[in-house]
Amino acid sequence: MAEQHLYDLIIVGAGPAGLSAGLYAGRATLDTLILEGDTVGGQVTTTSVVYNYPAVEKVDGTQLMNQMQSQVASFGVEIQHDAVEKFDLTGEVKTLIGKSGQKYTARSVIIATGANPKKVGFPGENEFRGRGIAYCSTCDGELFTGLQVFVVGGGYAAAEEADYLSRFAKHVTVLVRGDHFACPVLTAKRALDNPKVSVEYNTEVKEVSGDDYLTTATLVNNKTGEETVYHVDDGDQTFGMFIYIGTQPATKALANILDLDDRGYIMTDENGKTNIDGVYAAGDVIHKNLRQIVTAASDGAVASTAAERYIILQKEKQGIPIHAETNKKPAKTVGQTSELSQQENTTRHEGNWLPAEIDQQLQPIFARLTKDIKLQVLTNETELSNQLVSFVEEFASLDKHLQMETKPAPADVKYLPQLRLLDADGNDTGLHYAGIPTGHELNSLVLGVYNVAGPGQTIAPEMVERIKKLAPTKIRIGVSLTCHFCPDVVAACQRMASLNVGITATMIDLQHFPELRKEKKIMSVPATMIGNDPVIFGSQSLEELVTAVEKYHQIKINEDLKK
């Protein structure tokens, strides 16, 4: 049995605090691992535009995190997808157990798990999530094009996202519980000065209701008690309600281990140290007054520097060399949703779809391809079909292992035009893309190629066996190209397809297939459809998706036995 690798430092969480901590640890040549159970970049990737990061006038939240991740990777710091579920932080060696079942050990740990969006708790909030209730404007905003939208909240996020949502909605109404916005005046003015945005103060949501979609909201003035009922406008199927009322710290697994305040935030000293030696915390998860990207990044730097001092003392006591090898290669980021940086490059790309910097970043991935792969475009007589052909032609030109063919779509194929990945022998791999996989979905396509024609994303042998045992399954993943959560779900489903010939996993850009949105009543992405089962909304891990497919077939078996 292989000996357990002992890291100098493990950072739990890859938001701005975790990435900043990783940057400082990498520069200090510490043997460092970052574990992230969800999306690299954390809550920042749900932010449409960041206006208050120093030296950057404004920047897309995902782009900012892409740049930070790229910088961290350049110092050889590895980022691995796994959600830590158990912590043993006693003793000199800290042990973490991931959701995958894998064990990780380190001399020091930094907790940078951040905080998750709070739910308000009004009746109907859970029932209509994905059918009108939403929490991420960049993911779901375009699905509410031409519809009325409400934004619940009165802080930074509510003001900024109301302004952002106005580019899609016919009108945005902000519901503020207090009598003013609880954010700086200049931030509030983005909403207040927008002619498509109105504000209702001292207003709360009492309940929401509907049939298939959200159609009714009862609002109450918390000063007068007066109730107002909003019903969906004539001709509209639904309206949107985006929730931005703050966050809840992700500390559930640490409740009886670290000192927490009465709201669940981790108590630390000025250096980020917790009540346990060698354990530090940083970012939105700690007790502090201001939670912003810049303060999280600062926390990460402070905690990492303190952890470095602790690690050095431990190694000196044990007579162990202090620094890791300095000739480490930049860490691989294959499998991260933000692996394709959007940084500017002075070299201009001649094509219409892929800028030069994307081409450059893809080369190390394509260099690992060992087999040919055919990019088959099933066409129909539409402008979208012409655009998909143009995109695939340019993408296929990036590497000699990529070949392209076009073919009129068979009559029995739905969701056209469609790109399919075929293996070297011309066999359908089950990895399909309905629409054009650009935007965040370029990651899905790159990972699909890597999984079929290269070594593929590494997953546990036990998981590989579970996937290979799955019965034939058709999986569809409804996406928006602006959704940063979607590529992880698409990649996980398509990883299953790459390992099991009976599974097909089709990415579907819902912008181009409104009939599917209507049929499945989808108003949020990612929207995963396994066979004919109800839609699964939101980010899902590979473990969760495999379990869902197993349950789907077990239910079918039970139903057949009853017949």
Side-chain angles (χ1 to χ4, degrees):
M1 184 175 180
E3 184 179 347
Q4 181 72 42
H5 181 81
L6 178 62
Y7 290 93
D8 288 333
L9 175 64
I10 291 179
I11 300 164
V12 186
L19 292 174
S20 176
L23 172 62
Y24 276 73
R27 289 192 65 193
T29 68
L30 298 178
D31 185 7
T32 304
L33 172 68
I34 299 177
L35 293 173
E36 172 56 59
D38 204 329
T39 300
V40 173
Q43 291 300 313
V44 182
T45 58
T46 69
T47 304
S48 52
V49 182
V50 176
Y51 291 97
N52 56 355
Y53 198 75
V56 183
E57 181 180 355
K58 63 179 181 178
V59 62
D60 173 82
T62 299
Q63 181 182 346
L64 180 61
M65 291 298 97
N66 284 345
Q67 293 170 190
M68 193 176 287
Q69 183 191 355
S70 177
Q71 192 177 16
V72 170
S74 71
F75 285 100
V77 175
E78 179 186 0
I79 300 177
Q80 186 168 328
H81 272 294
D82 202 354
V84 179
E85 293 190 329
K86 295 180 181 179
F87 295 83
D88 182 358
L89 304 177
T90 59
E92 292 185 354
V93 175
K94 321 299 181 185
T95 301
L96 313 178
I97 306 295
K99 191 171 186 177
S100 65
Q102 187 169 342
K103 179 188 293 186
Y104 307 90
T105 58
R107 302 178 191 281
S108 184
V109 171
I110 295 176
I111 306 296
T113 47
N116 300 313
K118 283 183 180 177
K119 293 183 178 180
V120 182
F122 53 77
E125 181 177 7
N126 289 332
E127 291 85 341
F128 288 94
R129 179 171 185 176
R131 317 252 186 226
I133 300 292
Y135 300 85
C136 175
S137 62
T138 54
C139 299
D140 302 332
E142 71 175 6
L143 300 179
F144 292 88
T145 298
L147 300 176
Q148 167 68 35
V149 166
F150 291 91
V151 170
V152 180
Y156 282 92
E160 291 175 343
E161 300 311 319
D163 179 56
Y164 174 78
L165 286 164
S166 71
R167 70 181 66 182
F168 305 108
K170 62 182 174 185
H171 188 78
V172 178
T173 302
V174 186
L175 307 177
V176 182
R177 183 174 60 178
D179 58 7
H180 64 280
F181 273 101
C183 61
V185 174
L186 287 177
T187 301
K189 280 175 67 64
R190 293 194 188 97
L192 295 172
D193 293 349
N194 189 324
K196 291 183 67 177
V197 177
S198 59
V199 182
E200 297 290 338
Y201 295 106
N202 301 115
T203 303
E204 300 180 39
V205 181
K206 183 178 180 181
E207 64 179 356
V208 298
S209 60
D211 294 319
D212 296 327
Y213 295 104
L214 180 63
T215 57
T216 304
T218 301
L219 312 178
V220 59
N221 184 297
N222 56 29
K223 280 195 169 182
T224 66
E226 180 183 358
E227 291 187 3
T228 304
V229 177
Y230 172 80
H231 188 73
V232 66
D233 292 345
D234 290 342
D236 293 343
Q237 283 188 318
T238 188
F239 61 92
M241 185 170 285
F242 286 75
I243 311 297
Y244 293 102
I245 62 163
T247 55
Q248 182 74 31
T251 54
K252 185 177 180 180
L254 295 161
N256 298 314
I257 301 172
L258 299 180
D259 287 346
L260 309 178
D261 69 10
D262 56 0
R263 295 182 298 162
Y265 291 96
I266 299 173
M267 303 296 295
T268 65
D269 66 12
E270 68 274 12
N271 294 314
K273 182 182 179 300
T274 69
N275 56 298
I276 297 179
D277 289 342
V279 180
Y280 303 83
D284 286 2
V285 76
I286 69 173
H287 173 90
K288 61 178 182 176
N289 293 324
L290 182 63
R291 292 183 173 84
Q292 292 285 285
I293 302 171
V294 67
T295 63
S298 173
D299 295 338
V302 170
S304 186
T305 303
E308 179 192 1
R309 290 195 295 267
Y310 172 84
I311 292 163
I312 289 173
L313 288 173
Q314 294 303 306
K315 286 187 169 183
E316 286 178 343
K317 288 179 183 178
Q318 300 169 23
I320 298 172
I322 291 174
H323 296 291
E325 295 180 10
T326 58
N327 61 347
K328 289 173 69 175
K329 295 180 180 179
K332 293 177 291 183
T333 55
V334 172
Q336 309 300 331
T337 60
S338 53
E339 70 185 36
L340 303 180
S341 170
Q342 299 175 36
Q343 294 183 26
E344 293 184 354
N345 192 293
T346 55
T347 304
R348 186 169 182 178
H349 194 275
E350 296 298 323
N352 297 320
W353 296 96
L354 304 173
E357 65 268 21
I358 296 294
D359 186 349
Q360 292 168 2
Q361 291 175 67
L362 291 178
Q363 293 313 309
I365 300 172
F366 288 158
R368 303 189 68 197
L369 302 184
T370 57
K371 293 173 281 190
D372 290 341
I373 186 170
K374 184 172 290 184
L375 308 176
Q376 183 187 71
V377 181
L378 301 182
T379 61
N380 59 356
E381 296 180 358
T382 63
E383 177 57 30
L384 183 64
S385 182
N386 296 334
Q387 291 179 12
L388 179 59
V389 170
S390 171
F391 166 76
V392 175
E393 283 178 343
E394 185 174 337
F395 185 82
S397 70
L398 297 179
D399 190 83
K400 64 181 180 180
H401 290 287
L402 308 178
Q403 284 90 43
M404 176 189 175
E405 72 171 20
T406 59
K407 176 182 176 182
D412 60 343
V413 176
K414 295 180 68 175
Y415 314 119
L416 294 169
Q418 189 175 126
L419 166 63
R420 294 185 170 185
L421 302 190
L422 310 184
D423 66 19
D425 297 322
N427 301 309
D428 186 0
T429 64
L431 281 70
H432 302 167
Y433 307 82
I436 306 174
T438 54
H440 289 301
E441 287 308 321
L442 180 60
N443 287 283
S444 304
L445 177 58
V446 172
L447 287 172
V449 169
Y450 182 77
N451 287 329
V452 170
Q457 295 165 277
T458 302
I459 57 178
E462 300 80 9
M463 180 60 71
V464 173
E465 289 305 310
R466 284 176 63 188
I467 292 171
K468 289 182 176 180
K469 291 178 181 178
L470 295 173
T473 312
K474 290 185 178 180
I475 305 174
R476 294 168 292 173
I477 312 98
V479 307
S480 163
L481 299 184
T482 60
C483 172
H484 54 279
F485 292 116
C486 293
D488 271 355
V489 178
V490 174
C493 293
Q494 294 190 336
R495 187 66 176 119
M496 294 160 62
S498 71
L499 294 168
N500 185 323
V501 296
I503 294 177
T504 60
T506 306
M507 179 219 85
I508 302 176
D509 181 359
L510 292 173
Q511 178 185 1
H512 300 297
F513 300 96
E515 70 280 3
L516 178 62
R517 282 177 53 190
K518 183 177 181 180
E519 175 195 348
K520 292 295 184 177
K521 304 172 180 62
I522 296 170
M523 293 301 293
S524 183
V525 290
T528 307
M529 294 155 275
I530 298 173
N532 295 316
D533 264 11
V535 178
I536 302 172
F537 290 107
S539 181
Q540 302 287 314
S541 67
L542 180 61
E543 166 69 34
E544 289 169 326
L545 290 163
V546 171
T547 299
V549 173
E550 291 171 338
K551 288 181 178 179
Y552 169 74
H553 287 292
Q554 187 58 53
I555 290 172
K556 288 181 64 178
I557 291 171
N558 293 340
E559 289 175 347
D560 290 341
L561 291 174
K562 291 178 181 179
K563 292 180 181 179

